Amino acid sequence: MFKMTAFLFVVCVASFSFKENPSVSYISQYKEIAISEMLRTGIPASIKMAQALLESGAGQSTLAVKANNHFGIKCGGQWDGKTFYREDDDFNKKGKLIKSCFRKFDSATESYIAHSNFLAHQNRYEFLFALESSDYRSWAFGLRKAGYAT
């Protein structure tokens, strides 16, 4: 009986110890979209994936789960699609934190495409598209230089 109990304990501990890392699962799930967007736009897949991992908490953030928004893309002045509101970093005139408007997508793919389009159509990121899609280091430094995200 003791041997059976010990064996079951080891099996249970091992099963909890070998859970796949959420980041690895996320990469496996979305790598093809990132590669597709790299081929379409020139944005390195590694840069897109890194931003998505950080912004979405490996797909587990509220925005990713409830709005398919993997990059924290806000509505902006010209967005007329679906929306999702949550507190972020917007304040009213009295300095009170208010809910921010975020874009809501029907799929993660739409979010990845919107992120690429956002970068491609902003003048401050224009210089990045002269870089090779294999030059992820220059892209990373360039995004920082251009003031990507808060």
Side-chain angles (χ1 to χ4, degrees):
M1 182 67 169
F2 175 76
K3 287 182 181 179
M4 180 60 90
T5 304
F7 174 74
L8 290 174
F9 176 75
V10 170
V11 169
C12 287
V13 169
S15 68
F16 287 114
S17 300
F18 294 116
K19 278 191 172 180
E20 190 168 351
N21 180 320
S23 295
V24 173
S25 297
Y26 185 87
I27 291 167
S28 294
Q29 186 173 359
Y30 296 109
K31 67 184 176 187
E32 296 302 324
I33 301 170
I35 292 168
S36 173
E37 281 302 286
M38 177 179 70
L39 295 173
R40 184 177 77 87
T41 66
I43 300 168
S46 57
I47 290 293
K48 183 166 287 294
M49 188 59 66
Q51 288 181 308
L53 279 164
L54 289 171
E55 294 279 354
S56 75
Q60 298 176 1
S61 72
T62 300
L63 273 176
V65 172
K66 294 188 175 182
N68 277 315
N69 189 332
H70 290 247
F71 296 91
I73 303 171
K74 290 191 174 180
C75 294
Q78 298 179 12
W79 179 251
D80 62 356
K82 296 176 186 175
T83 59
F84 181 81
Y85 285 85
R86 65 165 294 156
E87 288 182 349
D88 184 48
D89 58 2
D90 290 324
F91 295 88
N92 66 14
K93 293 178 184 177
K94 295 181 181 179
K96 183 182 176 199
L97 185 65
I98 57 172
K99 290 186 176 184
S100 302
C101 181
F102 289 90
R103 296 180 184 189
K104 184 175 182 179
F105 301 101
D106 290 329
S107 68
T109 300
E110 286 183 17
S111 177
Y112 274 69
I113 291 169
H115 176 259
S116 298
N117 292 343
F118 171 80
L119 292 177
H121 296 104
Q122 297 280 329
N123 289 338
R124 65 182 172 155
Y125 303 118
E126 185 176 12
F127 71 97
L128 293 170
F129 291 89
L131 300 171
E132 294 292 325
S133 61
S134 60
D135 191 359
Y136 65 90
R137 289 177 195 255
S138 294
W139 268 87
F141 286 115
L143 284 167
R144 186 169 118 194
K145 179 182 174 184
Y148 180 83
T150 53

